[in-house]
Structure formats: structure tokens, C-alpha cells
Amino acid sequence: MKITFSIIKADVGGWPGHVKVHPDLEKIAYKQLIGAQRSKILKDFHVTHCGDDLELIMTHTNGVDSKEVHELAWNTFLEATEKARDLGLYGAGQDILSDAFSGNVRGMGPGVAEMEFTERKAEPVIAFMMDKTEPGAFNYPIYKIFADPFNTAGLIIDPSIHDGFVFDVWDIKEHKNVKLKTPEEMYDLLALIGAKSRFVIKHVYPKKSSKLPSDEAAAVISTEKLYQIAGEYVGKDDPVAAVRAQSGLPAVGEVLEGFSHGHLVSGWMRGSHNGPLMPVSVEQAQCTRFDGPPRVTALGFQMHNGKLTEPVDLFDDPAFDYVRKQSQQITEYMRVHGPFEPHRLPMADMEYTTLPKVMKKLGKRFTNVK
Ligand code: F6R
Ligand code: MG
Ligand code: MG
């Protein structure tokens, strides 16, 4: 049976500031989605948050880009926005960038990661959710998971993944994509995805030689950039991803290993700073210090006939204490730089922040150097 696994998320109000989602908003989302499950639009769902982002994890048989499912998510965010306004939450309706729903939430503010695939006998799926960062933050861990033999032992020792994978990379500036195979094209792949503010991994597919269908994604990442939709900085494009695991794909532990380093990502404080990505439990997914540091949560499900088990909060484990500690040390180190690059983003990436407004004021005072 083909099932669609959809994660649709939006920041519709924070508590306090941009720290966290208020539980009343999660309750509204739960009520909407359970109604949709009863009326058979959804097979199953789970509502959660990462920082100030409300996350809707849904399974159904409507395929990707389904009008019904997107409309459900959109209406859920609208109702949650109303509640956020009632409660006086911060930035209520922040990611609702359009007045009217036109069939798909893409380009309207929310972030989307969806994949449709033939469910295996036992189907482990992990939902990753990040706050205070951008879609390119997934490039490093997704590359490691599916292409780096120092991360994923199976690439060397498991014949079912030894041939490697196909990466679908999007140029989010030119709106083009290219598919690259690993291991044979890994240097080309790295040439692109190292530039993470422009080239982002959208999907990873099994190769034709795999026992899994090569047109059904093993991983999908949301790539929405809010400033490209709104034309200016309006909020954060905090990304989400779904990754399938085991039997012909990297093991759950190999998938999680991709997040064991606290790599530097962009999007911290005012969307304008680099900092370490700290893996945390849902309980710890609240952005405090300097509105961060950037965080990632991971919920692991077994899926069966589209039904989801209760999730396991995968970073809620002492095995990730060390990377959390390391992320805090990196936080200390980066913060000392204050407004200096590379803590603050380079000028080109500041173009869509509030900095140009400050620079405009100085414009007239510049004279030609003789
Ligand atoms: C929001 C974020 C925050 C805000 C900052 C300023 O996701 O990254 O760091 O950018 O708190 O917020 P405003 O401009 O709303 O006062
Ligand atoms: Mg916010
Ligand atoms: Mg956010």
C-alpha cells in the first residue's frame, strides 16, 4: 500500500517571544487533526512543536501536494493563529503570508516535507524538526547519513546499500534542480551542498539497483525560504525532514549519527547568526539563550498500514549529552564574536534581514575615496 508521510509546519505565535509554542495551540491542532482522521482524510497524525514552530505530522493516502491535506493544515494554522491572537502570543500568524488558500500551502508561509512510498512490512520513519535555522542546515547530516561511510557503516558492509543513493539538489535561487549519484559524483555533490544557503538537498532516492523502488524517496526536506515568498525578512524558514530507515536504507542509529556533531548552521538570533545545531528532546526544544542556540528534535515512529506508533523522542538520551555539551562550548566561543563575522552572517546573506534598513541611513554619508 502507498502511504504519504507529510510534515507541515508553521510559526503562528510564540510564547514568550520566539521561544516556544503555547500548549493551547497544540490542542487546537490536535482537535482539527483528530476530526480529519475521523472523516478519513488522515490515516494518523501526531502534533508537536520545535521551539516556536507548530508541527503537524500526518499519514494519508492522498499523495503529496494533496489539496485536502494542505487545506486541513492551512485551516489548522488559521485557527491556531486566532487562538494566538486571543492569548496575545508573540508574532501571531507570523508564517501566514497570504489571505486566501489556493490549493497548496507551498509559497504561502508554512514549510512542507512530504513523501509517498510503498510501505514495507515494517517501516521506521523519523521526523526531524529544527528551529532557528534554515533548510540548508539539513545538508550536512543528510549527506553524512546517505553518503559518508565514516557515518554510515552500512555503505561499506551492507550489500543492500553498498551501491549508494541519488541526491536531488535544489538551487533555491534559480529554482532548478539536479540529481547526483553517490559515491561516484560525491565531489560534485559536495561542491554544491557546501553552499548551504543556496543549494539544498530536497530528496534522497534509492538507486535503480536497490531492492526498494528508485522513484520513492528515502528522505525529504522542506525547502521553503520565507524571504523569497515575502520579499523581506518576516520570520524563520525553520526546516523539517522525514527520513525512512533500515532494510535497504541506513539504520536508525546511522540516521541519528548524522546529528552527533553540532555543526554550524545559519539562522540564529534575528535570522542573522551562525551557531551550532544542538540535538534536543521535545521537552528541551525551547530556544532561550540568544534565542537559541539552533535546535533539532527527532521523533521515531513505526508505521503500519499508515498507522503510527507513539513516537520515541530519539534525542532524549544521554548518548547525545556530549554533543549538547560541545554545542554549548561552541555557543560560548561564537557568542564572544558579538557582531563580527563569522558569528554574524556575511553581508550577502544579510540582504533580507533588517540590516539594510540601518545601512540605508549611512548611505548618503559615503563619499568616493580619492
Ligand atoms: C525568530 C528569531 C528571533 C527573532 C528576534 C527578534 O524565529 O529568530 O531571533 O528574530 O527575537 O524578533 P522581533 O523582530 O520579532 O522582535
Ligand atoms: Mg517566531
Ligand atoms: Mg521558529
Side-chain angles (χ1 to χ4, degrees):
M1 181 170 45
K2 276 204 178 189
I3 299 289
T4 311
F5 190 89
S6 301
I7 314 175
I8 307 189
K9 48 88 34 182
D11 174 352
V12 293
W15 172 56
H18 296 277
V19 171
K20 190 178 176 174
V21 172
H22 192 283
D24 285 4
L25 305 194
E26 289 190 44
K27 278 185 205 142
I28 283 177
Y30 183 86
K31 191 193 74 195
Q32 282 269 5
L33 299 197
I34 198 141
Q37 188 183 22
R38 285 188 189 123
S39 58
K40 307 261 185 270
I41 297 172
L42 298 181
K43 284 264 180 200
D44 211 345
F45 69 91
H46 182 78
V47 173
T48 185
H49 70 274
C50 182
D52 58 5
D53 293 285
L54 180 58
E55 316 275 358
L56 314 179
I57 299 169
M58 300 171 284
T59 56
H60 53 94
T61 50
N62 303 298
V64 301
D65 285 334
S66 147
K67 181 169 183 286
E68 255 185 322
V69 173
H70 281 231
E71 194 160 24
L72 167 69
W74 183 251
N75 290 337
T76 302
F77 294 139
L78 289 185
E79 204 187 318
T81 295
E82 258 175 58
K83 184 73 186 175
R85 290 205 173 109
D86 285 353
L87 293 171
L89 299 183
Y90 192 74
Q94 179 186 281
D95 289 355
I96 302 296
L97 303 182
S98 175
D99 292 336
F101 180 74
S102 57
N104 194 300
V105 295
R106 278 191 290 118
M108 299 182 77
V112 187
E114 296 186 287
M115 55 182 172
E116 186 185 37
F117 51 88
T118 311
E119 194 186 83
R120 295 170 291 168
K121 207 163 60 202
E123 185 69 60
V125 193
I126 306 174
F128 288 100
M129 291 147 284
M130 295 184 182
D131 192 31
K132 309 299 185 254
T133 185
E134 57 172 11
F138 272 109
N139 284 5
Y140 177 89
I142 295 289
Y143 170 80
K144 289 195 64 136
I145 295 162
F146 288 97
D148 179 5
F150 284 78
N151 181 90
T152 297
L155 292 168
I156 305 291
I157 64 178
D158 178 355
S160 74
I161 60 172
H162 190 78
D163 278 1
F165 290 91
V166 179
F167 286 72
D168 175 22
V169 177
W170 284 19
D171 176 343
I172 50 178
K173 207 163 166 199
E174 297 288 329
H175 301 283
K176 290 180 172 170
N177 71 319
V178 60
K179 287 191 177 154
L180 294 167
K181 292 181 181 154
T182 56
E184 56 273 43
E185 294 179 302
M186 71 187 262
Y187 296 162
D188 292 325
L189 174 66
L190 287 168
L192 296 181
I193 63 171
K196 62 184 173 39
S197 60
R198 172 149 177 197
F199 296 99
V200 298
I201 301 168
K202 178 69 191 176
H203 301 102
V204 180
Y205 293 100
K207 276 189 173 164
K208 287 221 163 69
S209 52
S210 164
K211 63 181 181 189
L212 300 175
S214 60
D215 57 348
E216 295 181 2
V220 61
I221 297 98
S222 67
T223 49
E224 284 72 22
K225 287 284 251 178
L226 288 184
Y227 73 73
Q228 289 176 331
I229 302 166
E232 62 170 353
Y233 181 77
V234 286
K236 294 292 313 63
D237 357 280
D238 309 310
V240 289
V243 180
R244 298 163 63 206
Q246 307 287 158
S247 325
L249 297 172
V252 167
E254 289 167 334
V255 174
L256 298 178
E257 186 67 7
F259 295 85
S260 59
H261 176 54
H263 66 292
L264 289 175
V265 299
S266 306
W268 192 3
M269 182 49 86
R270 297 175 186 277
S272 309
H273 292 80
N274 287 311
L277 183 74
M278 184 161 76
V280 294
S281 65
V282 174
E283 176 89 15
Q284 294 172 334
Q286 47 182 36
C287 291
T288 54
R289 184 170 177 190
F290 202 53
D291 283 358
R295 272 147 220 252
V296 57
T297 58
L299 291 184
F301 301 89
Q302 279 296 136
M303 193 170 100
H304 189 54
N305 296 325
K307 287 271 176 205
L308 298 172
T309 56
E310 276 301 301
V312 176
D313 191 346
L314 294 163
F315 291 141
D316 185 13
D317 189 279
F320 286 91
D321 282 350
Y322 182 75
V323 56
R324 285 193 273 269
K325 189 93 194 146
Q326 195 184 30
S327 301
Q328 287 162 36
Q329 281 158 355
I330 300 166
T331 290
E332 276 302 315
Y333 177 80
M334 295 300 279
R335 281 300 301 124
V336 173
H337 292 77
F340 285 82
E341 298 174 11
H343 185 26
R344 197 179 76 181
L345 301 189
M347 278 313 254
D349 291 340
M350 297 291 286
E351 205 180 318
Y352 296 97
T353 70
T354 40
L355 183 69
K357 289 178 186 151
V358 177
M359 294 298 285
K360 208 171 154 199
K361 210 176 62 182
L362 282 178
K364 289 196 198 89
R365 293 178 50 192
F366 275 96
T367 55
N368 292 330
V369 178
K370 298 208 172 75

